[in-house]
Amino acid sequence: MAAITATAQPTASPQPRVDVSLSAWSADGPVQVYRVHADGTRHEIYMPDTSGGLSQVYDYGAPFSPAPPAPQSAFTYEAMNGATLISSASVTLSVVDSWLSSPGLPSYAVRVALTEKPAERRRERPMSRAWPSGRTTALTRAGVLRAAASSVTMRTKTDADAVALEAVVESAPRLLLRIPGIRQSWQHIDCDGFGEAPPVPFMRRTTTGADNGEVGEWAEWSLGFTVAGDPVALPFGDPTASYQAIVDKGWTYQQLLDWKSAGATTYVQVLRGGF
């Protein structure tokens, strides 16, 4: 019987993800798979064509669930198998950190240390007014309420973290910001502007505890953004599950077949990568 299996991988590298696989699909070829969030919204994820009734992908855009007792952000996956709707079991991706990532580019993702919740959310409505002679009220034409605009401030504590953050922001104009535990915990954003605050006085004192680097390397960044819709581009793919990764491993075809033990490697395991 056709099934969708979803397994949360909160500690995966290069960022948290969900392993989504299809099995016993009735026909080979393109298939549309959707992630259904707790609020009922549906977001299409890229799924490679089924072959032999099977397909698999890593979903790097799933919402995070904060640590209990905070409300959990459960979600499911669904797709049509012919005329039948197939749904996965409910999944939660338990990640307490905030992340900024580039959709479709799994390697472009960073944990972000927020200094505060996103600033004031502004939603504006385009509007024009005319004041004809003899009227006490205006003639008004109005559009729809625009998506929210806001900003968020984050801190990096090493030069390496600062470089990684800039690389993510430079990778694409549309990013995914996930901040578990707040009302707007999952949203695609268009980056309107990005600035580094003036540097703190240079200090050679080394920090202790969980913080890395020296205080002189700390930097604060302000990211201005407008809430946006899902990107239309297909994901780039997982770098550990590519044909090039197999070539770089230097295996023969027989070694690939025997990867999980003699004659035991399955097609889905090859798609998952991790050679």
Side-chain angles (χ1 to χ4, degrees):
M1 184 172 65
I4 302 177
T5 303
T7 305
Q9 298 181 341
T11 60
S13 178
Q15 59 171 300
R17 66 191 184 190
V18 179
D19 182 344
V20 184
S21 62
L22 308 182
S23 59
W25 227 247
S26 60
D28 290 343
V31 59
Q32 289 182 304
V33 178
Y34 293 88
R35 184 194 327 111
V36 184
H37 292 197
D39 61 3
T41 57
R42 302 171 77 246
H43 305 268
E44 185 176 3
I45 68 167
Y46 170 69
M47 178 64 71
D49 292 358
T50 55
S51 177
L54 303 173
S55 190
Q56 184 275 340
V57 77
Y58 290 117
D59 178 16
Y60 288 95
F64 296 156
S65 286
Q72 300 296 285
S73 300
F75 52 94
T76 60
Y77 294 89
E78 63 181 32
M80 295 299 296
N81 180 34
T84 304
L85 179 66
I86 306 296
S87 298
S88 73
S90 181
V91 186
T92 56
L93 190 57
S94 298
V95 179
V96 298
D97 300 313
S98 298
W99 282 75
L100 184 68
S101 57
S102 183
L105 298 171
S107 297
Y108 286 89
V110 289
R111 272 189 198 87
V112 290
L114 305 183
T115 61
E116 58 189 2
K117 291 171 63 175
E120 175 190 8
R121 297 173 70 245
R122 302 175 304 279
R123 300 192 66 186
E124 299 178 349
R125 188 189 302 276
M127 188 173 295
S128 62
R129 293 186 177 92
W131 295 87
S133 176
R135 284 182 61 104
T136 59
T137 58
L139 295 176
T140 303
R141 297 193 65 176
V144 298
L145 197 64
R146 292 173 177 169
S150 185
S151 64
V152 67
T153 303
M154 53 195 69
R155 176 178 294 149
T156 56
K157 295 188 175 181
T158 68
D159 288 343
D161 288 344
V163 170
L165 176 60
E166 287 191 289
V168 171
V169 176
E170 291 173 0
S171 66
R174 184 156 299 179
L175 304 172
L176 176 60
L177 179 62
R178 288 171 286 183
I179 309 174
I182 70 170
R183 182 158 56 94
Q184 295 84 25
S185 60
W186 184 98
Q187 50 192 358
H188 283 103
I189 60 173
D190 285 337
C191 182
D192 299 332
F194 186 58
E196 181 179 4
V200 298
F202 184 77
M203 301 173 64
R204 295 300 302 176
R205 178 171 66 84
T206 302
T207 59
T208 58
D211 294 335
N212 298 317
E214 299 186 355
V215 176
E217 293 187 15
W218 289 18
E220 289 194 356
W221 308 80
S222 178
L223 178 70
F225 63 86
T226 302
V227 176
D230 292 359
V232 297
L234 295 179
F236 178 80
D238 188 300
T240 68
S242 66
Y243 177 69
Q244 188 61 48
I246 300 175
V247 173
D248 293 342
K249 189 71 177 181
W251 281 346
T252 65
Y253 181 63
Q254 189 61 51
Q255 286 174 311
L256 178 61
L257 292 177
D258 296 339
W259 169 37
K260 290 297 182 179
S261 70
T265 305
T266 66
Y267 176 64
V268 171
Q269 287 168 337
V270 174
L271 291 177
R272 287 195 175 102
F275 309 107

